[in-house]
């Protein structure tokens, strides 16, 4: 039986109101609108959910508009550290990398780890070394153009908590779901810090016939709530709708003092995209063709 | 209201039958028996759950009998990489370190990260640097005495998957729960691999009025199932007993081809310690004073 495809993307949740007047919000909205249409068309033409979320995240890593890939900012010691993870719902396979420094597209390396190694999470210099060995595109410091910098000036508060992430969740015409998340962190973040983005169950989870989730925000709160899996478990064990499950988990994060948001797809291709920050870059087309693109 | 204390420990699940005849199983059983009595007495005298699990894991790290702390084995490149995590159930605070190389007791550093930083998970050289800065006891390569080596010979199959971990879960007389897990990996493991031990939700989770969980086994399967949190969510959302929740999650891991075990405490201080390997080093005293010490 053929299923109706469904896709949701995020480019991070945070204090996006600080970009008002810079043109950044309009640019991001335009980019996400075109991207969600492109990925939805891929899915309609039969692309797998895992190919769809990979392509979506690669493109967001490459734009330089978000805190991932090209848009990543140097940490407190002056170098970038990138994290990413991916999961496929039909077999519960997963792959992730943490603290890589020279890989152009961490999500591609995470997918390689998922498909070609017995490891789920690979960290540090060994992950960069694997990428180099497998001829992934490598970059040096000059590649990164921190998205917090506009016209040479830092926008907003550089000391604000790390909340930058991109992510995608999709359901394909076979009914398979997948989720992917990638981050480069914000300016001057703690070196060696690993947030929720590369952690299966925290930032990313996907399970067929239940759903797929990708989170963004202050990662520590998402880790402490096992946020991505918590949304899945509420849908699976309680039969909650994706909106109710995602909203409840965001409330738990809020109750602990956490900020951020998440995107989730439910068992019939429903989409929910709650956040408790001033904005979340987001775009979705659900199984009924309903299209949402928004920032604030 | 005073609660009856409860404690469970594990020293790893795996093919322990390979140690038959070496004296190792009897030695480990004796060590765990004395340790569980000691920690239970601490709890009876009012020690907090977090102090109890810290002390239990520190002592197991120091014995050299298990794949953690002193007993850790060099990876494929000839150096040890240690991971640990800890979580307290009354406030859902958590701390973890991954890929540290020179810290004598990674669980102490994980607790420091929990109590004194805004980060949950710190990885690599930065975690070692934090330990040094904070005057933690540092060790060099000569400190480690791989527990797979007995009398200079490797016992069993050095190429077998990484399944070595130690862990503890406890409930104190205030009803607070905590969980802690630490690992050093087995001989020749993949450099840079991060298993479930340092991952909150995968290897470790604790939530008051629900329970506490620490896992051991082939970490990738526990990550893909969000195993520690999965046990918690079944108890919390479905009201399952700790035995039923732990057993169901172990069945899911088994169904994917995974091996290992876990220890869990339920809301009234019940203990469950399922495993699907030939053995799991384990010891517990539940809220009714029932004492179990076993290996196979």
């Amino acid at each position: 039986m053929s299923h109706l495809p469904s896709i949701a993307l995020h480019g991070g949740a945070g204090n996006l109101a600080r970009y008002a007047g810079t043109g950044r919000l309009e640019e991001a909205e335009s980019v996400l609108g075109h991207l969600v249409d492109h990925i939805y068309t891929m899915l309609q033409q039969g692309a797998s959910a895992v190919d769809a979320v990979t392509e979506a995240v690669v493109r967001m890593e490459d734009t330089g508009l978000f805190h991932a890939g090209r848009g990543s900012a140097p940490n407190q010691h002056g170098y970038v550290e990138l994290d990413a993870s991916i999961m496929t719902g039909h077999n519960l396979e997963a792959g992730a990398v943490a603290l890589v420094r020279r890989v152009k597209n961490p999500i591609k390396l995470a997918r390689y780890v998922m498909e070609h190694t017995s490891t789920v999470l690979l960290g540090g210099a060994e992950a960069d070394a694997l990428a180099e060995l497998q001829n992934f595109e490598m970059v040096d410091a000059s590649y990164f153009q921190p998205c917090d910098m506009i016209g040479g000036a830092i926008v907003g508060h550089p000391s604000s908590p790390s909340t930058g992430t991109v992510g995608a969740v999709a359901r394909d015409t076979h009914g398979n779901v997948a989720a992917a998340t990638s981050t480069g962190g914000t300016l001057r973040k703690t070196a060696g810090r690993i947030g929720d983005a590369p952690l299966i169950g925290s930032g990313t989870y996907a399970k067929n016939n239940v759903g797929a989730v990708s989170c963004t925000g202050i990662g520590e709160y998402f880790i402490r709530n096992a946020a991505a899996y918590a949304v899945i478990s509420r849908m699976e064990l309680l039969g909650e709708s994706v909106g109710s499950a995602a909203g409840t988990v965001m409330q738990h994060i809020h109750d602990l003092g956490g900020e951020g948001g998440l995107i989730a797809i439910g068992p019939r291709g429903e989409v929910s995209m709650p956040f408790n920050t001033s904005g979340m870059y987001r775009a979705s087309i659900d199984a009924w063709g309903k299209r949402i693109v928004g920032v604030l």
Side-chain angles (χ1 to χ4, degrees), chain A residues 114-175:
Chain A
M114 174 172 77
E115 293 179 341
H116 300 287
T117 80
S118 61
T119 298
V120 166
L121 175 55
L122 197 63
E126 292 296 330
D128 277 315
L130 174 68
E132 203 148 30
L133 186 71
Q134 295 299 330
N135 296 312
F136 279 78
E137 198 168 351
M138 309 300 283
V139 293
D140 61 22
S142 67
Y143 170 74
F144 299 103
Q145 303 201 332
C147 69
D148 282 326
M149 306 289 286
I150 297 183
I154 298 166
V155 178
H157 307 285
S159 62
S160 65
S162 300
T163 58
T165 317
V166 304
V169 293
R171 188 178 75 148
D172 63 29
T173 55
H174 301 285

Side-chain angles (χ1 to χ4, degrees), chain A residues 70-100:
Chain A
R70 186 171 178 82
S72 301
N75 67 15
Q76 62 177 136
H77 294 331
Y79 53 85
V80 300
E81 291 187 314
L82 311 170
D83 308 322
S85 64
I86 191 165
M87 183 164 192
T88 52
H90 65 288
N91 55 9
L92 301 182
E93 292 276 0
V97 294
L99 306 178
V100 300

